[in-house]
Amino acid sequence: MSWWARFARLRQLGVLGMNRRNTACILDLNPRARFPLVDGKRRLAELCRSIHVPTPELYGTVASHSALRRLPELLADLPDFVIKPDHGAAGRGILVITGRDGQRFIGHDGRRLGLDEIRQQVSEIISGLFSLGGWTDQALVQQRVAPDASFERISFRGTPDVRVVIYKHVPALAMLRLPTRQSDGRANLHQGAIGAGIHLETGVVHQAECRNRLIECHPDTGERIIGLQVPYWKEILSMARRVSAAVQMGYVGVDIVIDRRRGPLLLEANARPGLAIQIANGQGLLKRFAAIERDELASSSPALE
C-alpha cells in the first residue's frame, strides 16, 4: 500500500495525527496558564480534594537534598509505598515498594533494596533526572494502590489504570492499560503494556492491543481480556468529567486507578495525551470529536415550535 493510500485510509477512519493534535487540540483548547495544574501531581491532588475527587494518600514529600536526612523517619512506619517525581512523565522515576524484608525494601519486581538505594532514587528525582524539561523536582511518597480483584488475572505485577480522553469536557475514548512482563509491571504502552479499548456506554472491554498487535488474552497470564467489565464505570466517567472541568482544558487525558479498598482514585491528568488510545479502540478520535460537537450544537439550538 502506498503512503498516499495509507494517508487516505487513516483520514477515512478519522484518525487524529500528531500535528493536528498539537495544534487543533493542545494549542487551541488547553490554555497555557492551566498547564501547571496537571504537570504537578501534588498540585493536581490538592485541586482534586477541593472538588471531592479521591486520590492516593500522600504520606510526605522530599523537596530538597538537605531534606533527605528525614527519609528514614518518613519511611519508618510504611509497610509499602510508591515514590514518584512530582513533575515526572511517561512513568519514569517511579519506585514501587510492596513490602519489607528486615531492614531492606521489596520492590514490585522482587528486588531487595537498601535505604541507600532508596535515597539515591530520591536524590535523582530531586535533581530533575525524570522531570519535564529537566528542572529540579520534588519526590512524593504516596499510598501504593492495591488493584481491584477483578484485575488480578489480567495484569502482571503492576497496577492497571484507566485512561479517559476528554474533549470539551465530554468523554471521547477510554482504554484500560494493563502491565505485562515486557513492560516490567508498568502500565506504559511504549514499554509493552496492553491497551484495551473500553466501550464508553457499558464499560466493557471490546478490543485489546499490545505492541500494535491485536490480542484477546493477556500474554503472561493467558486470561481473556475481551469482555471484561470495568468496575465503577459510571463513577470513573464522572470523575474524569469533573477533573476536566476543574482544570479548564478542552483536550485532556485523565488517568484513574481502582483500589480494592477505596475504589476509583485519580492518579494524574495529562495535557498532552498520546494517540495510541485510537489503536486500542480501533476508532479515530476525529470522528468522536465530530459527534461530540454535533451533540453540543443540537443541545444548544432552540427547539422549533
Side-chain angles (χ1 to χ4, degrees):
M1 182 183 292
S2 68
W3 70 268
W4 176 252
R6 290 193 184 95
F7 173 78
R9 177 59 175 162
L10 292 174
R11 188 171 184 178
Q12 180 184 19
L13 293 172
V15 173
L16 176 66
M18 187 69 71
N19 290 339
R20 188 165 180 177
R21 182 205 72 157
N22 292 344
T23 55
C25 295
I26 297 175
L27 289 178
D28 291 352
L29 300 178
N30 293 350
R32 189 69 192 176
R34 308 300 292 178
F35 274 56
L37 283 176
V38 298
D39 285 347
K41 297 177 179 62
R42 183 174 183 180
R43 186 169 179 183
L44 180 63
E46 292 170 352
L47 175 65
C48 286
R49 280 197 294 272
S50 71
I51 61 173
H52 306 292
V53 169
T55 63
E57 183 180 352
L58 178 64
Y59 299 137
T61 63
V62 184
S64 66
H65 288 96
S66 62
L68 283 169
R69 65 179 183 274
R70 294 182 43 248
L71 190 61
E73 178 185 350
L74 178 59
L75 304 181
D77 298 324
L78 300 178
D80 58 357
F81 53 88
V82 175
I83 295 177
K84 62 176 60 175
D86 187 22
H87 293 84
R92 297 190 310 123
I94 297 176
L95 178 64
V96 180
I97 299 299
T98 61
R100 291 178 179 258
D101 181 8
Q103 297 298 312
R104 302 182 73 79
F105 300 87
I106 304 174
H108 76 284
D109 55 0
R111 288 185 303 145
R112 266 55 176 177
L113 305 172
L115 182 60
D116 286 344
E117 292 170 280
I118 303 289
R119 186 183 286 109
Q120 179 63 32
Q121 177 82 5
V122 175
S123 177
E124 291 176 352
I125 290 174
I126 296 169
S127 297
L129 189 61
F130 311 107
S131 68
L132 291 164
W135 298 99
T136 56
D137 204 353
Q138 58 182 339
L140 309 181
V141 183
Q142 286 185 334
Q143 166 197 352
R144 181 177 75 91
V145 173
D148 187 86
S150 60
F151 298 140
E152 283 183 350
R153 294 180 176 271
I154 57 167
S155 181
F156 181 79
R157 286 183 178 162
T159 302
D161 65 24
V162 175
R163 159 69 60 89
V164 183
V165 169
I166 303 289
Y167 180 72
K168 296 186 176 180
H169 311 309
V170 178
L173 287 179
M175 68 175 168
L176 177 65
R177 298 186 293 196
L178 299 167
T180 64
R181 185 186 302 274
Q182 189 176 35
S183 71
D184 192 29
R186 303 183 187 280
N188 187 301
L189 301 187
H190 298 294
Q191 296 177 3
I194 296 166
I198 305 173
H199 193 284
L200 281 174
E201 292 184 3
T202 64
V204 174
V205 172
H206 65 89
Q207 180 174 294
E209 63 87 20
C210 185
R211 294 291 191 187
N212 296 328
R213 295 180 59 185
L214 294 178
I215 61 173
E216 293 190 358
C217 299
H218 195 287
D220 302 310
T221 69
E223 292 293 328
R224 186 172 174 81
I225 301 169
I226 308 301
L228 173 75
Q229 172 68 62
V230 178
Y232 301 100
W233 186 240
K234 290 184 178 179
E235 292 91 333
I236 287 172
L237 291 182
S238 175
M239 287 172 62
R241 290 191 190 97
R242 287 155 63 194
V243 171
S244 168
V247 300
Q248 298 177 33
M249 289 183 170
Y251 175 71
V252 62
V254 180
D255 298 339
I256 294 170
V257 292
I258 305 176
D259 183 76
R260 67 178 58 199
R261 181 174 60 88
R262 298 181 59 196
L265 303 175
L266 190 285
L267 191 62
E268 60 182 67
N270 192 326
R272 314 164 189 83
L275 302 173
I277 195 169
Q278 300 175 109
I279 300 174
N281 281 276
Q283 183 177 7
L285 277 166
L286 291 178
K287 288 192 173 182
R288 283 292 301 136
F289 293 171
I292 289 169
E293 289 171 348
R294 285 196 300 270
D295 291 343
E296 182 181 41
L297 182 61
S299 64
S300 62
S301 300
L304 297 177
E305 294 294 337

